[in-house]
Amino acid sequence: MKRSLTLLVLLAVISIISTAQVKISGTIVDIDTKGAIEFVNIALLKQDSTFVAGTSSDTNGFFEFNNIANGDYLLSATFVGYLKAYHPINGVDEDTDTGNIHLEASDIALKDVTVTANAVIQKPDRKIIIPSDAQIRASSTGVTLLRNLQLSRVIINPIANTITVPGGGGVQLRVNGVEVTMSEIVAIQPADIIRIEYHDEPGMRYNNAAAVIDYIVRRRESGGSFSMDLKDALPWVIGWGENFMSAKVNNKKSEFGVNAYWSHRKLEWTRENRETFVFPDKTLERIEKGDPTDLKDNKLNVALNYNLNEPDKYQFNAILRNNYQNTPQQYTDRRSAIYSSDNSIPLSIFDHSTWRSSNTSLDLYYQRNLKNDQLIIFNVVGTYMDSKSTRTYQERRDQDLNTDIFSSISGDKYSLIAEGIYEKKMNIGKLSAGMKHTQSYTNNIYGGNVSTDIGMNFAETYGYAELQLRKNKFSYTFGLGAMRIYNSQGDSKDDKYIFRPTLRVTYNINDNAYVRYNAHMSGYSPSLSDLNNVEQNIDSLQIRRGNPNLKTVRNFTNTVNAGYNKGMFGVELFMRYNYDHKPNMEQVFFEDGKFIRTNINHKAFHRINLETTFRLKPWKDYINLSITPGLNRYISVGNDFTHTYNNWFARGSLYLNYKKWMLGGEVFTRWNYFWGETLEIGERVHVVMATYNTGKWNVGVMMINPFTKNYSMGSKNYSSLTPNVSEVYSKNLKQVVVLNFGLNLNFGRQYKAADKRLNNDDSDAGIMSGAKK
């Protein structure tokens, strides 16, 4: 009897133990791409949030808990850059597979998280880059962090202080969705950056910009901050400086801010030209040998900002900006001697131009969050631009003044830009629609050898609707847009309607690899300066003439991207074909003893860009190596000419980050650009730098072009009537030592303020220059 009772008890205990030990498993995937997410932190909790067990997802997003007792549980999944997800599991009494658990990208800071390795998350319409702790510690501004991240196709030029993509296309810079200026990016404290969203193929929402870089930053609740970044070359060698200052103060729902940027240049340039003029009865060749000529330029930009924000409800933003530029001696200035093939007495050339402009704008923005994941945005920008330019050109032979050209141009421009956007998130994707209208009036008064008063009206209206859909590993974007462009000057008018469809298809092979195709049709209007109905003398043989009859250009673009990024190795492939139908390009013809340069609508222009970026991180994010070889092919088809040109190029960078130190270097070969009949020969740049950063202050040193004899650019024109070759170089921009000092100070800041998602700007003065290029 005792043996039977003992046996029954043992069997009961074994049965209870066996039924209590179950397995819980599942897979973590991205809600947009449906791709698996590795290294997600997963916690198994009881209903009262008591911790039971923890694990992380593997390279396939899979996780598993073993030997778990029966009961009710709650799964918690967290990963930097994503919203925390909770998944209840009730009545667990056998092995349970939760299936896919979705994580959604987050705009909210993850506090007290240390990222030990730079992470790249491929989304259907952008890349999400989460900087590592080492990269943040080694960076002093938002720009230096961007340099450390080495994003494919992003070029940070240390001389011009610009952020572009290959080919010179401008990059939209944004903070929490807001389009901002370079000074506002410099003012970002790297410790406040949660992630960077890189749109290398922006959609219709961004008007098909070349690229968009959006900094997602955390905001504090009270107090304020002060930042500055000062970069100046040794003053006894060269006049060169880039200086930024920024301050913000918070009070309850309000934030007050001010940004200031001062740039100054004082350099010497030397120009040498070889020109040929084919007259009906003869050919004249001229060789120009120049003397070093000064360039002086000063820019001062100031912005005052007010932001009123009620989180998750609304925000109002107002920015008053003034951008001032004074260039008493321009890049085109020169003193030189011209030697002609007809053996005449050499000409002595004096060419001097000035430029001054003041651009004041008021930017008003309102954003309202609606129910059911809906959002509306309104933005209105009014701008007034006042400009003044002069040019003096003289040719002397044996001290006798043969040619004396003077022009003075005063300009006033008034513009209004209004935009509205609607967005709605859905389970299968996102719907967005918007409309933007630009209206401007420009009045330029020309004095000197040519006196005239030019008034121009310009209007552009653009509307679009775009739908993003997700299905398994594919994502699709379909967009339809229409644009009306109108301009008038006197009796000349142009009214054009352009249909703008967009298609983008992305296939995420896995969490580390993707392929994307993008196609869109667009258009652009001629510049206001080209539309001017005015003539400007270039020299004694040439005249530049405006053309108010220029027509709007249609543009077609096809792009293929592919990428793989995992561990220490990454590679990005980029291929683009771009076609301009009836582009505005220069035409030269002979009239009344002078060569006339003007722009007309030619037949076609084709561009092919191929490049591959290889990235290597042999030691986490402490060492970052990037190399990009590529090819540009240009085919220019004019009404009476056809030119082709191939440009092989390469760029590379190497950065070492360790604790508070950063050492690095970059090199760019020449990026040559062909348009019409002119080849623009780009700059060759290389820099080395070292920085020590404590977080609150930083010091650094940079040397520009340490391994070259001079800094040079140039051009070559293939016109049948006026072919020429030009070289411009400066010995000032070699072995330039630049010292850097920065501050990032905070006082009592705990506020998380939203920022606006739009910023519109108008800075085209519409003035045609007669300066010789």
Side-chain angles (χ1 to χ4, degrees):
M1 184 69 181
K2 286 184 177 181
R3 288 182 177 179
S4 299
L5 183 60
T6 301
L7 182 60
L8 288 173
V9 172
L10 289 174
L11 289 174
V13 171
I14 293 172
S15 176
I16 292 172
I17 294 174
S18 63
T19 56
Q21 305 303 306
V22 298
K23 179 175 68 174
I24 298 175
S25 61
T27 304
I28 307 296
V29 299
D30 186 293
I31 192 172
D32 291 327
T33 67
K34 308 303 180 185
I37 308 175
E38 57 184 346
F39 309 131
V40 176
N41 296 317
I42 304 163
L44 183 66
L45 311 173
K46 292 183 179 180
Q47 291 296 311
D48 61 359
S49 297
T50 303
F51 180 81
V52 176
T55 186
S56 61
S57 60
D58 63 16
T59 55
N60 297 314
F62 180 78
F63 68 90
E64 185 178 77
F65 294 101
N66 293 302
N67 301 323
I68 302 300
N70 293 350
D72 297 330
Y73 294 98
L74 187 67
L75 276 174
S76 168
T78 61
F79 185 66
V80 64
Y82 286 86
L83 291 170
K84 179 182 287 188
Y86 292 98
H87 186 83
I89 311 173
N90 298 318
V92 174
D93 57 7
E94 61 182 6
D95 290 351
T96 300
D97 184 355
T98 66
N100 291 339
I101 296 177
H102 297 97
L103 293 189
E104 182 179 359
S106 169
D107 290 341
I108 301 174
L110 298 181
K111 298 180 180 179
D112 303 324
V113 173
T114 297
V115 185
T116 58
N118 164 241
V120 179
I121 303 168
Q122 181 64 47
K123 306 292 283 186
D125 56 347
R126 65 198 186 281
K127 294 183 179 71
I128 296 177
I129 300 96
I130 304 169
S132 70
D133 185 58
Q135 290 170 329
I136 288 177
R137 286 201 314 268
S139 303
S140 56
T141 71
V143 174
T144 56
L145 177 62
L146 187 65
R147 181 179 283 117
N148 288 338
L149 290 174
Q150 298 177 322
L151 301 184
S152 60
R153 303 188 68 248
V154 174
I155 300 174
I156 303 174
N157 188 317
I159 296 178
N161 191 48
T162 57
I163 300 176
T164 61
V165 295
V171 175
Q172 284 189 16
L173 301 173
R174 295 174 178 261
V175 176
N176 290 345
V178 172
E179 189 176 351
V180 296
T181 62
M182 175 74 90
S183 61
E184 289 160 286
I185 297 300
V186 174
I188 298 175
Q189 300 186 16
D192 287 339
I193 297 174
I194 304 167
R195 67 177 186 270
I196 291 177
E197 298 190 355
Y198 175 35
H199 304 251
D200 53 350
E201 284 293 325
M204 304 186 79
R205 164 67 179 80
Y206 303 101
N207 203 15
N208 294 314
V212 175
I213 298 175
D214 193 356
Y215 289 76
I216 307 302
V217 303
R218 57 174 61 90
R219 301 292 189 178
R220 315 298 175 95
E221 289 191 342
S222 62
S225 67
F226 174 79
S227 300
M228 72 176 184
D229 186 70
L230 310 178
K231 290 188 177 73
D232 283 278
L234 297 178
W236 56 87
V237 177
I238 185 178
W240 186 96
E242 295 286 330
N243 301 288
F244 300 84
M245 298 183 71
S246 173
K248 289 186 178 181
V249 176
N250 296 98
N251 180 31
K252 297 180 180 180
K253 297 179 182 180
S254 296
E255 181 177 80
F256 303 85
V258 58
N259 285 290
Y261 161 63
W262 175 46
S263 166
H264 64 93
R265 301 285 189 272
K266 185 178 180 182
L267 313 171
E268 281 190 346
W269 292 96
T270 301
R271 291 178 173 270
E272 294 184 355
N273 297 320
R274 296 195 305 274
E275 301 175 301
T276 300
F277 296 92
V278 181
F279 290 86
D281 57 347
K282 65 177 181 179
T283 297
L284 177 67
E285 295 183 353
R286 306 203 307 185
I287 297 177
E288 180 179 351
K289 295 184 178 181
D291 296 325
T293 307
D294 287 341
L295 161 70
K296 293 182 181 179
D297 179 70
N298 280 277
K299 296 176 183 176
L300 179 62
N301 300 341
V302 179
L304 302 176
N305 181 78
Y306 172 71
N307 180 273
L308 176 66
N309 174 50
E310 178 69 26
D312 300 322
K313 291 185 179 180
Y314 68 86
Q315 69 168 314
F316 170 76
N317 198 84
I319 303 178
L320 179 63
R321 290 189 175 96
N322 180 259
N323 298 337
Y324 176 79
Q325 181 177 8
N326 182 28
T327 311
Q329 293 175 282
Q330 288 207 58
Y331 169 77
T332 55
D333 284 9
R334 67 191 192 274
R335 287 185 175 87
S336 55
I338 292 181
Y339 302 88
S340 301
S341 59
D342 59 4
N343 295 319
S344 59
I345 299 174
L347 286 172
S348 176
I349 302 297
F350 172 77
D351 195 349
H352 172 58
S353 299
T354 68
W355 169 265
R356 179 200 54 77
S357 66
S358 179
N359 189 323
T360 302
S361 65
L362 178 61
D363 184 337
L364 301 177
Y365 172 93
Y366 180 73
Q367 173 183 321
R368 183 79 182 186
N369 296 334
L370 306 176
K371 295 179 179 179
N372 303 319
D373 290 325
Q374 298 180 96
L375 173 73
I376 55 173
I377 299 172
F378 298 101
N379 187 212
V380 178
V381 181
T383 304
Y384 169 66
M385 184 176 183
D386 167 41
S387 61
K388 173 78 173 181
S389 66
T390 65
R391 181 184 181 231
T392 301
Y393 176 85
Q394 295 177 337
E395 295 181 0
R396 295 178 182 272
R397 181 173 280 120
D398 271 351
Q399 303 302 316
D400 294 330
L401 184 62
N402 289 5
T403 303
D404 189 9
I405 299 171
F406 176 74
S407 65
S408 174
I409 309 168
S410 297
D412 294 286
K413 182 179 181 182
Y414 307 84
S415 70
L416 182 69
I417 302 173
E419 184 171 13
I421 289 177
Y422 168 80
E423 292 184 355
K424 177 176 175 54
K425 291 184 179 179
M426 303 175 291
N427 292 331
I428 60 172
K430 183 174 70 173
L431 173 67
S432 63
M435 181 166 287
K436 179 179 178 180
H437 179 74
T438 301
Q439 188 81 37
S440 70
Y441 172 74
T442 304
N443 182 51
N444 291 327
I445 301 175
Y446 290 76
N449 297 84
V450 176
S451 297
T452 187
D453 189 342
I454 299 295
M456 293 180 290
N457 288 289
F458 174 83
E460 180 179 288
T461 303
Y462 169 57
Y464 77 93
E466 189 174 66
L467 178 63
Q468 297 180 16
L469 300 173
R470 301 183 300 268
K471 185 174 179 59
N472 300 323
K473 293 185 176 183
F474 283 92
S475 65
Y476 308 88
T477 300
F478 306 94
L480 291 177
M483 180 169 64
R484 175 185 180 257
I485 300 176
Y486 170 84
N487 64 73
S488 67
Q489 181 182 167
D491 295 330
S492 299
K493 297 181 180 179
D494 182 37
D495 196 353
K496 189 78 171 182
Y497 292 85
I498 298 177
F499 180 56
R500 296 181 57 174
T502 296
L503 170 66
R504 181 170 60 236
V505 181
T506 303
Y507 175 61
N508 290 291
I509 302 169
N510 52 46
D511 198 40
N512 304 304
Y514 74 96
V515 178
R516 181 173 64 232
Y517 170 74
N518 186 14
H520 69 265
M521 183 174 74
S522 185
Y524 57 90
S525 60
S527 69
L528 296 181
S529 59
D530 289 336
L531 288 168
N532 267 324
N533 187 17
V534 67
E535 290 185 353
Q536 289 281 75
N537 290 298
I538 299 174
D539 54 27
S540 58
L541 298 178
Q542 303 177 89
I543 293 175
R544 190 174 307 282
R545 178 182 294 172
N547 182 4
N549 297 315
L550 284 172
K551 304 300 181 183
T552 298
V553 181
R554 293 182 182 271
N555 175 269
F556 304 85
T557 301
N558 289 270
T559 307
V560 176
N561 299 71
Y564 174 82
N565 185 70
K566 186 174 183 180
M568 63 183 293
F569 179 73
V571 61
E572 297 275 348
L573 174 65
F574 179 88
M575 299 180 291
R576 171 173 288 173
Y577 168 70
N578 188 285
Y579 168 69
D580 289 8
H581 180 65
K582 295 189 178 301
N584 301 320
M585 301 189 297
E586 189 178 64
Q587 178 76 29
V588 181
F589 59 92
F590 187 77
E591 178 183 281
D592 297 332
K594 297 289 184 73
F595 293 91
I596 311 299
R597 294 184 176 273
T598 189
N599 279 5
I600 66 172
N601 290 95
H602 285 273
K603 291 183 179 179
F605 190 82
H606 309 262
R607 284 165 292 221
I608 300 173
N609 174 221
L610 307 173
E611 63 179 72
T612 304
T613 298
F614 301 93
R615 287 187 297 273
L616 185 65
K617 300 178 181 180
W619 184 28
K620 298 183 179 180
D621 281 308
Y622 295 113
I623 300 178
N624 294 270
L625 174 65
S626 175
I627 299 175
T628 303
L631 168 67
N632 294 316
R633 177 164 176 80
Y634 303 98
I635 304 173
S636 181
V637 184
N639 297 335
D640 56 2
F641 63 80
T642 297
H643 301 293
T644 61
Y645 177 75
N646 292 334
N647 169 226
W648 294 93
F649 64 91
R651 59 183 183 272
S653 62
L654 174 64
Y655 283 95
L656 294 83
N657 304 309
Y658 184 71
K659 295 184 177 179
K660 299 178 181 180
W661 287 94
M662 187 277 290
L663 303 175
E666 299 182 12
V667 59
F668 306 93
T669 62
R670 296 188 189 277
W671 181 286
N672 299 337
Y673 183 74
F674 201 97
W675 180 255
E677 294 192 279
T678 301
L679 170 65
E680 297 291 344
I681 301 173
E683 59 191 357
R684 183 188 295 117
V685 177
H686 50 279
V687 297
V688 294
M689 62 190 73
T691 303
Y692 179 79
N693 181 28
T694 68
K696 292 185 177 180
W697 59 269
N698 62 86
V699 294
V701 60
M702 174 175 67
M703 180 172 283
I704 302 174
N705 294 329
F707 310 115
T708 189
K709 293 182 179 180
N710 58 53
Y711 171 87
S712 65
M713 296 182 291
S715 66
K716 186 174 183 179
N717 185 276
Y718 293 86
S719 166
S720 59
L721 293 180
T722 59
N724 66 77
V725 177
S726 174
E727 182 183 14
V728 185
Y729 60 89
S730 173
K731 295 184 178 180
N732 290 150
L733 288 173
K734 64 173 185 177
Q735 293 96 46
V736 179
V737 177
V738 177
L739 303 180
N740 178 214
F741 175 73
L743 286 176
N744 285 315
L745 303 177
N746 294 291
F747 48 95
R749 304 197 73 205
Q750 297 179 353
Y751 181 73
K752 192 187 81 171
D755 218 334
K756 64 169 196 169
R757 297 190 179 185
L758 291 177
N759 189 58
N760 292 299
D761 177 67
D762 188 357
S763 57
D764 182 358
I767 290 177
M768 185 183 73
S769 170
K772 192 170 183 177
K773 300 179 180 179

